[in-house]
Amino acid sequence: MEILSRKSINIKIKELKSDIGNIKDLELSIGKFSEEKWTEAEGPTPFPSITALREWDKKLLDRYKPFYLPFCDLCCLCTYGKCDLTGNKRGACGIHMSAQQSRTVLLASCIGAATHISHARELVTYAIKKFGTDYPLDPGGLAVEVEAPIIRLVCGVKPEKLGDLETVLDYLENQLTQLLSVTHTGQEGNNLDFESKVFHAGMIDQVGMEVADIAQISVFGFPKADPDAPLVDLGMSVVDTKKPVILVIGHNVPPAIQIIDYLKDKRLSEEVEVTGICCTAIDATRYSSKVKIIGPMSWQLRYIRSGIPDVIVVDEQCIRTDNLIEAEKIRAPFIATSEKNCLGLPDRTRDSADDIVADLVSRKNLGVLILDPEKVGEVAVKTARAVAPKRKKSRTSLSTEEIIEQAKTCNQCKMCRRSCPNDLHIPDSMKAAGKGNIGMIGDMYEECIGCARCEQACPETIPIHNIIVSAATQRTKNESFRIRAGRGAIQDIEIRKVGGPIVLGEIPGIVAFVGCSNYPKGGKEVAEMCIEFARRRYIVCTSGCAAMSAAMYKNEDGKTPYELFPGTFDAGGIVNVGSCVANSHIAGAAVKIASIFARRTLRGNYEEIADYVYNRVGAVGVAWGAMSQKAAAIASGFWRLGIPVVVGPHGTKYRRMLLGRADREQDWYVHDRRSGEKVYVGPVPEHLFFAAETKEEAMVMIAKLCMRPNDTSKGRAIKLTHYIDLHRRLFGTTPDDAHLFVRTLTDIPITMKEDLTKILREKGWKETIIPDPTLLVNQVEKRGVR
Amino acid sequence: MATTESWQIAEIAGPKKATLIVKPEVADAMIKRAKHPVLIVGHLAAEIDLDDKKMIDYLLELAQKGNLPVIATGHTNRDFLKRGFTKAKIMPAVEIGQRLTDPEWKGIDGKEPYDLAIFAGLPYYMEWTILSGLKHFAPNLKTMTLDNTYQPHASWSFPNISVKDWIENLKSIIEKVEE
């Protein structure tokens, strides 16, 4: 018997024997979902516990063995330690290095999931307070009938109104508490069980993201699955600096929306610029296309130091914790708005807006905490208008002469380079700048991730980051791009149209560029990859900081990728779904293919749907600049659904990869649902979590990872064409594993017949069949064959 | 005096750190002693200038004179091909890392497990993490890096040395590996 929620009670009795008789399969529902008329049959795992999907996880982990890359030889989480775990020694609690690494991955994924889930809780609570529990959920109007595919899949419920989301959040918070407890000293000791729980954290993270985004789409009227969502401005130079400028940073959009609403109510929208960084910016443009996006999270320092913003408003997540100090340097009042990010500021929530404004303008308070989005809107606007004429846009940027003078003080100790995550050659550039050539240091702007560790390391206190940005003034003056506002969900009709071609392999894949901006060689690489795959007629999705980086590129005609390619979820589209929490729509699209195209039952039926997605939907996530714990959780959610994730080289710092072994034939058998026979299908997809060293390696791997056992010969030939073509162009040779992806001679691309036939002969290739693939024995049983 | 200090300041390892290659003979002795060595070359080898050559030119010469099998990671193979070298095996860095932790894996030539893996030209932090994986999970493998930055997780590494010293060391290693 299980009781699933404190607010709604759902009692299931599988079998009860008592003195008065036997009861079988009784289900009682009281509360939130009791009136639902959803007739879909319930699958085996609604509201799954932390071990309910362990067997599925084991199947994946059996193929994709963790390769651990310890970031530290020690464990220092309890007072037994520090314990030296070098060479798989066991620590005082008995843990060994493999388990310790996966334990750390679980911690990171829990942090990430907690962040999205608490974000969702805050949004839902705010929305219910404002609009009521019965406010209908409507993420896509008539175009979206499957409104919450992940919630349906995981929880087995069909949310219809805001209040329904509370029950889902209750479940998520419960699971998260259990998962976090697993990381305590003396709990789990097996690395693969830790990994299974990492997958669970990722799965509940996806649910949390979906809750957050469908709630905000519904109540704020964001684009509802709209492929023609408006194009909006992006870049440092799109801001009208003659007007008062407000900067919003973070991920939780209500304060930014209240700023926009206040401006609208007071007919001031044309008088004040609202600009944003990171996901709050993306979500604010989903609300109003007048908002201007400055750039991804790595633009925080450079934009604040430009002196342009008159007021800085922060909410939560991925916000530099020294922004308050930076704001002070440019004399910009600072407003914190989240309980999760108070920054030591006085809580002025209960004070009158005018009193707060007066104290910010007079600089009695350099910053304030206001935990009421409406009040934030009024205070931010009034303060910006009051301080803008006085501030004269104080900036910390340097003239060419000042750069040269500063550079002359460099003693070439190299501490800046040794602190730079990307090992940028700062000392050489500084030497050149000291001699009057600032071009070299200005060129670093493209690859600098804006962390300013160089400045922290410099014993001469040279403002290195400022120098890099100041030397690139010409670039920032030209920073003007267009990005399509986040469209949210994928329409059911789009899924109906592409479901077949995707599952058969004729659309070669869905490639989703997501995540943060910790890039090895700048964000331009994201734009280049998006364009390459869109041109090859893959479906390209973007979200979050990666969506912004994809926009920061122009072709020779001055067009950005979002202007060159349509926003439809179809071959050759570039689809910006929105902010971080909108990532759920990408996973949701894969799930909807199973539901809408293949008519598989979603409700509480995770294992079967993940098996379907894994074997049939050629999707790959790419987090080229993945940095955060949220990115770890997002990736984990994709893994459990059987969707591989490629990260940039910094991604090796996540401490482990999940890699398949193409050379082990025994790893790549599936059950044929038709016959029940075990069939070799080749290493598809070869890896589940892979860090690429370079953009070129990533592109070849993305094409390879889009292959699935279910591809028809026509589909496989298309996918092989892209893989081999990219391999030849970027590596200079035909791949020597091409034969592993040929099942029958009809899989061979016609233009490559001669080459590949020769390779097949050399490798002793044998023809095999194309099965109806599954990893689940029960799927064979369903068809009546064993 | 040479120190065992990571090139990237915060990349501090743990109790077990790489032995310094204080003179090129150390590297040569290790290569010669190895029964089945492999040279793993990352993409930076083709970007780093060492006087009038690139780092990859030195590594190629070392591979040819020392008869070392070569694995090209990233898109490095393109640069080997430009130099007429077609024998490199293309394999991503994390894949070769994982294979090396498998004591049963018999290498790209199928002969026997490698006993020495020589790394060069990968991004510092990526080489750092992969070498860490090997330090912990490939107990029978020795690792060496020929970059000019100290890699604490290798079995042997140069300290952080100047380009001039690096070139001299590489030349000397190449010269002696042939003897």
Side-chain angles (χ1 to χ4, degrees), chain A residues 70 73 418 420 687 693 697, chain B residues 6-7 43 73-74 95 132 135:
Chain A
D73 293 351
R418 294 179 64 187
C420 174
H687 303 303
E693 181 186 337
E697 187 173 270
Chain B
S6 293
W7 171 249
H43 79 286
T73 68
E95 268 185 38
S132 170
K135 179 174 92 173

Side-chain angles (χ1 to χ4, degrees), chain A residues 517-529:
Chain A
S517 55
N518 188 19
Y519 305 122
K521 289 190 175 174
K524 193 179 163 200
E525 292 192 328
V526 174
E528 289 166 345
M529 287 192 273

Side-chain angles (χ1 to χ4, degrees), chain A residues 584-612:
Chain A
S584 53
H585 303 305
I586 301 173
V591 167
K592 288 207 311 188
I593 290 171
S595 159
I596 294 170
F597 167 72
R599 298 183 179 279
R600 299 282 184 108
T601 305
L602 280 193
R603 188 175 190 173
N605 194 23
Y606 194 94
E607 189 179 63
E608 181 183 334
I609 296 299
D611 178 68
Y612 181 92

Side-chain angles (χ1 to χ4, degrees), chain A residues 510-724:
Chain A
I510 305 166
V511 187
F513 292 91
V514 306
C516 338
S517 55
N518 188 19
Y519 305 122
K521 289 190 175 174
K524 193 179 163 200
E525 292 192 328
V526 174
E528 289 166 345
M529 287 192 273
C530 283
I531 290 170
E532 178 75 37
F533 284 99
R535 279 193 184 137
R536 289 176 178 271
R537 311 281 297 158
Y538 287 70
I539 300 173
V540 174
C541 295
T542 62
S543 69
C545 284
M548 301 181 217
S549 299
M552 299 177 93
Y553 172 91
K554 283 181 181 170
N555 72 356
E556 55 279 10
D557 299 325
K559 300 277 186 199
T560 61
Y562 294 102
E563 294 167 292
L564 289 169
F565 299 93
T568 42
F569 190 80
D570 200 350
I574 296 186
V575 184
N576 176 16
V577 289
S579 56
C580 285
V581 290
N583 274 313
S584 53
H585 303 305
I586 301 173
V591 167
K592 288 207 311 188
I593 290 171
S595 159
I596 294 170
F597 167 72
R599 298 183 179 279
R600 299 282 184 108
T601 305
L602 280 193
R603 188 175 190 173
N605 194 23
Y606 194 94
E607 189 179 63
E608 181 183 334
I609 296 299
D611 178 68
Y612 181 92
V613 171
Y614 174 68
N615 282 296
R616 288 167 170 78
V617 179
V620 178
V622 184
W624 193 236
M627 169 281 298
S628 67
Q629 297 85 16
K630 287 193 302 166
I634 292 168
S636 312
F638 280 121
W639 299 331
R640 193 175 237 183
L641 265 181
I643 298 175
V645 175
V646 174
V647 287
H650 284 291
T652 56
K653 298 174 198 168
Y654 280 119
R655 297 172 175 80
R656 69 105 172 75
M657 300 284 106
L658 296 170
L659 302 174
R661 286 282 298 269
D663 60 325
R664 287 167 53 90
E665 187 192 310
Q666 65 271 32
D667 288 354
W668 303 104
Y669 281 79
V670 300
H671 301 286
D672 184 352
R673 290 175 82 223
R674 289 183 290 256
S675 66
E677 282 175 16
K678 290 189 110 181
V679 179
Y680 173 71
V681 288
V684 287
E686 188 172 339
H687 303 303
L688 207 52
F689 188 39
F690 173 88
E693 181 186 337
T694 63
K695 176 192 75 175
E696 291 80 1
E697 187 173 270
M699 286 164 71
V700 173
M701 186 54 75
I702 291 165
K704 180 152 81 163
L705 293 181
C706 282
M707 287 187 253
R708 292 292 180 279
N710 192 64
D711 297 337
T712 60
S713 279
K714 186 180 169 194
R716 179 58 62 88
I718 292 168
K719 293 183 181 189
L720 262 177
T721 302
H722 291 297
Y723 170 51
I724 294 171

Side-chain angles (χ1 to χ4, degrees), chain B residues 78-92:
Chain B
R78 218 169 44 183
D79 295 286
F80 278 123
L81 293 177
K82 279 182 199 160
R83 288 160 174 80
F85 183 70
T86 58
K87 290 183 189 165
K89 162 84 177 174
I90 300 167
M91 193 181 269

